Every structure is written in structure tokens, then in C-alpha cells.
Amino acid sequence: MNAQHEQTGHYATVNGLKMYYEIHGKGMPLVLLHGGGSTIASNWSRILPELAKSHQVIAVELQAHGHTADIDRPLSFEQDADDVAALLKQLHIEEADIMGFSNGATTSLQIAIRHPKLVNKLVLASTLYKREGMMPGFFEGMEHATFDQMPQPLKDAYLKANPDPKGLDAMFHRDVARMVGFKDINDEQIKNIQAPALVINGDAEAIKAEHAFALSRTLPHAQLAILPGGHGDYIGEICAPDRNSKIPDLVVAMIDKFLKEESSK
């Protein structure tokens, strides 16, 4: 991905933030939003090249993540959503498909809530929208999380994008604080999302499969896919144990099919 980074990496100033993004491929815009503690490469490198064969992929690094340095303002899913909306406006993109993983999926929901005209379709992967959706003990663990507990592949990926240990430390503490303070998105806001959605989840991960099912039933126009494996295994996220799994190829095929379907809304 390094050569691609040199050719496709850009910065845009949005809401006072110098945001890093990459553009790959051609077609209908598809925005990729990474999870907490992640970069474009650590989150998406397994499936991004495949998605870029039939979409104009716009992959973003959000505040305090990867190439995008932190700034002195609150970190929130709502702010991330507004930053992505501002980026798309700068790029003269009036409508896009939005795919988020984990925290990026929660941000995707906020884009659909706050900027509904921007959203054509949603791909929501391992999405938290209520605290009860996490496995028992998650939030208690977050309250006592230490930097040493952060997976080494995520640390390495950050430092590859931005060789600044202070930035890495800031990202960790920002993400922990955001999760500790996470507040439920109410059902009415979810029910008001009119964009068709594909909800994807692992069957053995941090987000309960039952939570994904509930989200798919609360959204007015949603499909659901529950896949074997842990958090992000089905997209080949950097911490996935099986680097040779074929499931990410299946997921790309499902996403392509979903995005190409005529909307019935």
C-alpha cells in the first residue's frame, strides 16, 4: 500500500482539522471509515483494493488517527460525522455510499442522522448504537484500560502512518475516553434513517450478534449478515488471526451486490 499512499494520499482542512484521506478507483463514491485505534491500512488493506475495482473509494483517517493529528477540541462520533460531511462537500460529492467498521460504523450512523442527503446506502460493520450491545464487562474494562493492552499491530500501524509516540498515546486515550462516555443512540433516530443498510457482524466478537440483529430490525430498510469469527475478522482487519481466510472475499461480493441493487425505498 505504500506506493498507493504516495499517489493517493491528500489532506483537507475541515472544521479546523487537517484530515488525511485517500482516493482509490472510479465509480460511485464509497467512503470507508475505520474503527477506534485504527488507520486506513490496518482496517481496510485486505478489502480496499477489491472494493476499488468497482467504486471510487474515499478512505478517511479521522481525528487523532493515523496521518490525521489530534487537535484541541472534543472527540465525538457527531464531530467525526460533521468532518466527513465537510470533506465530501470540499470534494463536490453530493451523495455517497458510506461504510464504517466498529467506531467508524457508529460515525456512519451519525452521518445518516445528521447529514441524510449525503447518504445513498450504508454498510454498517460491527456497529455499536446502544451500550447493551457490547459483551459483558467491556465498559468496566475500558474504565481501567492501559496503553499496554492496546494490540501491538495497531500500535505499529499508527507509527507507520505517523511516527510520533505522543500522537499514538493521544489516540489511545481519546478512544478510551470516548468509549467510557458512550451514550445510546435512541431508536427514533435510527428509525428515521431512510438509506438502505447492510448490517454485518461477527458471531463471536465484542459487538453481540443480537445487537446487530436488533439494529437491522430498527432500521427501516436493512439487510443482515452474521459471519463466523471475531471483531473485524470478516474484513481481514490487521488483528484477524487467519490471514488467508476467504471470508473477506465473500464480504466484498456481498457489499458489491448490495451497493449495486436498485433501492426499494
Side-chain angles (χ1 to χ4, degrees):
M1 294 270 294
N2 284 344
Q4 289 178 306
H5 277 296
E6 291 169 14
Q7 296 168 16
T8 57
H10 309 275
Y11 287 91
T13 300
V14 295
N15 302 323
L17 180 73
K18 187 181 177 185
M19 177 188 274
Y20 178 82
Y21 67 98
E22 297 176 12
I23 297 180
H24 301 262
K26 295 178 180 178
M28 174 74 181
L30 171 62
V31 178
L32 297 184
L33 303 177
H34 59 73
S38 299
T39 65
I40 293 168
S42 70
N43 204 142
W44 301 116
S45 59
R46 173 68 171 81
I47 66 170
L48 191 157
E50 294 302 311
L51 291 170
K53 289 178 180 177
S54 52
H55 310 276
Q56 182 191 51
V57 173
I58 302 165
V60 173
E61 286 179 343
L62 299 163
Q63 180 181 342
H65 291 75
H67 297 80
T68 302
D70 197 13
I71 60 173
D72 185 17
R73 67 171 188 187
L75 185 79
S76 70
F77 295 112
E78 293 86 351
Q79 183 63 64
D80 281 349
D82 291 351
D83 291 344
V84 173
L87 173 65
L88 293 178
K89 185 176 181 180
Q90 281 195 33
L91 296 176
H92 306 290
I93 293 172
E94 296 182 358
E95 189 177 56
D97 297 318
I98 312 287
M99 177 174 181
F101 168 69
S102 195
N103 280 4
T106 307
T107 296
S108 299
L109 284 176
Q110 290 294 347
I111 293 171
I113 290 165
R114 298 166 72 84
H115 307 276
K117 291 182 179 178
L118 274 178
V119 181
N120 181 48
K121 291 187 177 184
L122 292 166
V123 181
L124 301 167
S126 298
T127 313
L128 181 67
Y129 77 106
K130 290 187 184 297
R131 290 176 71 92
E132 66 186 22
M134 298 301 297
M135 295 301 287
F138 173 83
F139 288 104
E140 292 80 0
M142 270 287 148
E143 290 176 3
H144 305 287
T146 65
F147 181 73
D148 288 344
Q149 294 170 320
M150 184 178 179
Q152 192 62 43
L154 294 182
K155 293 179 180 177
D156 294 343
Y158 178 94
L159 293 171
K160 189 172 183 179
N162 178 12
D164 176 11
K166 290 182 179 178
L168 173 58
D169 188 68
M171 175 183 71
F172 172 78
H173 286 99
R174 284 284 207 171
D175 282 335
V176 168
R178 171 157 58 179
M179 295 316 294
V180 168
F182 183 85
K183 291 182 172 57
D184 293 357
I185 301 173
N186 71 58
D187 283 352
E188 284 308 307
Q189 288 179 304
I190 301 294
K191 290 175 181 176
N192 285 335
I193 294 174
Q194 293 303 308
L198 174 61
V199 177
I200 307 174
N201 216 81
D203 69 343
E205 62 149 290
I207 309 285
K208 298 176 187 173
E210 295 89 340
H211 189 61
F213 180 84
L215 176 60
S216 74
R217 291 299 180 263
T218 307
L219 287 160
H221 312 285
Q223 302 175 28
L224 174 67
I226 303 293
L227 296 155
H231 196 59
D233 293 357
Y234 55 83
I235 56 170
E237 191 269 343
I238 199 169
C239 295
D242 181 3
R243 305 308 300 166
N244 297 312
S245 171
K246 299 298 185 187
I247 291 178
D249 299 320
L250 169 67
V251 170
V252 169
M254 284 194 331
I255 292 168
D256 280 340
K257 179 179 182 295
F258 167 70
L259 294 179
K260 289 172 183 172
E261 289 171 352
E262 287 295 322
S263 174
S264 60
K265 66 174 182 175

